[in-house]
Amino acid sequence: QQQVKQSPQSLIVQKGGISIINCAYENTAFDYFPWYQQFPGKGPALLIAIRPDVSEKKEGRFTISFNKSAKQFSLHIMDSQPGDSATYFCAASYAGKSTFGDGTTLTVKP
Amino acid sequence: EAQVTQNPRYLITVTGKKLTVTCSQNMNHEYMSWYRQDPGLGLRQIYYSMNVEVTDKGDVPEGYKVSRKEKRNFPLILESPSPNQTSLYFCASSHPQETQYFGPGTRLLVL
C-alpha cells in the first residue's frame, strides 16, 4: 500500500514558467513533509519542508502549499530555470519512519 | 564538514556472499535510515534507527539487517544477497522531525 502518491511522473516546462508537483498522503500521523531534489549520480538533498500546522511556506522561488484536510501538499517552482532540471521527491515522515513519493522528473526547456 | 559517508560506493558480488555497507555521520544525529532506490519506485526505507540500540523495520526490510551500536555508525548487512537486491542504496541521518542528510549512495550489483 503506497502511502504517498506523487504526480506527475514527468514534467516539461519552459524557462520562466511555473512547475507544479503534487503529493497526497494517507497516514494522518505524518508530521513532517519535505521535498527533495536529486541530480543524476547524487543523493537527494532537501529543497524545502513544511510541518502540518502551516498551510504555506515560501523560500525564494520554491513554495510548498499544504492542505491538511485534503491530505495533500504541492511544490511550486516559480520562474523555472534549466538548472532546476532534476528529479523531485516528496516525502512524509513521523518518528523516524519516512515514505517517499515515486518522484517527478522535471525538464526545463531553455 | 558535516556529512554522511558510505562505503563502498560501488560493489559487485555474487549471490549468497555476505556483505556489509558502512554508513557514518558526523552531525550527532539521533535518527539514521537506509533506503534503496530503484527506477520508477522512488526511495523505499529499509530500516531506521531512532537512537543507539533502537532500530525498526521500514517498508522493505526483508533480506537486510542493521545494527546501531554507536550513534555515528549504522551499517547495513546483507547476510545472503540475491539478485533482486541489486539497487542503489542511500544512508541518511537527521535530528528528530528535521531534514535528512543523505550519503552519496552505494551502487550494488548482485550476480
Side-chain angles (χ1 to χ4, degrees), chain A residues 13-59:
Chain A
V13 174
Q14 289 295 127
K15 178 182 176 181
I18 302 173
S19 305
I20 302 174
I21 305 171
N22 301 297
C23 281
Y25 64 97
E26 299 172 7
N27 190 342
T28 56
F30 290 134
D31 60 10
Y32 185 68
F33 300 88
W35 284 90
Y36 291 91
Q37 180 187 56
Q38 185 179 29
F39 293 103
K42 302 290 187 182
L46 179 74
L47 195 61
I48 186 172
I50 199 167
R51 293 188 170 86
D53 54 344
V54 177
S55 61
E56 185 175 282
K57 183 175 182 181
K58 183 177 181 179
E59 291 182 359

Side-chain angles (χ1 to χ4, degrees), chain A residues 3 9 31-32 34 36 38 41-46 49 51-52 87 89 93-103, chain B residues 9 31-33 35 37 40-45 48 50 57-59 88 90 96-105:
Chain A
Q3 295 193 54
Q9 189 174 23
D31 60 10
Y32 185 68
Y36 291 91
Q38 185 179 29
K42 302 290 187 182
L46 179 74
R51 293 188 170 86
T87 300
F89 294 96
S93 65
Y94 74 98
K97 185 162 174 54
S98 287
T99 301
F100 282 70
D102 288 346
Chain B
R9 295 288 314 279
Y31 287 5
M32 295 187 75
S33 290
Y35 297 88
Q37 185 174 26
L41 295 178
L43 289 99
R44 292 180 292 168
Q45 193 175 41
Y48 62 99
M50 296 170 68
K57 296 177 180 179
D59 294 323
L88 177 59
F90 288 101
Q97 210 188 24
E98 291 188 7
T99 186
Q100 295 186 77
Y101 291 85
F102 283 81

Side-chain angles (χ1 to χ4, degrees), chain B residues 7-73:
Chain B
N7 283 292
R9 295 288 314 279
Y10 304 91
L11 180 59
I12 302 174
T13 190
V14 295
T15 299
K17 186 176 182 181
K18 181 180 179 180
L19 67 91
T20 299
V21 184
T22 64
C23 174
S24 182
Q25 51 95 4
N26 62 1
M27 294 169 279
N28 200 35
H29 286 161
E30 293 82 1
Y31 287 5
M32 295 187 75
S33 290
W34 276 103
Y35 297 88
R36 61 177 289 171
Q37 185 174 26
D38 302 289
L41 295 178
L43 289 99
R44 292 180 292 168
Q45 193 175 41
I46 302 171
Y47 271 94
Y48 62 99
S49 169
M50 296 170 68
N51 217 320
V52 176
E53 302 292 358
V54 180
T55 62
D56 209 344
K57 296 177 180 179
D59 294 323
V60 288
E62 295 78 20
Y64 304 94
K65 285 177 57 178
V66 293
S67 68
R68 186 95 181 270
K69 293 182 171 56
E70 304 168 282
K71 196 172 186 179
R72 63 183 295 126
N73 297 322

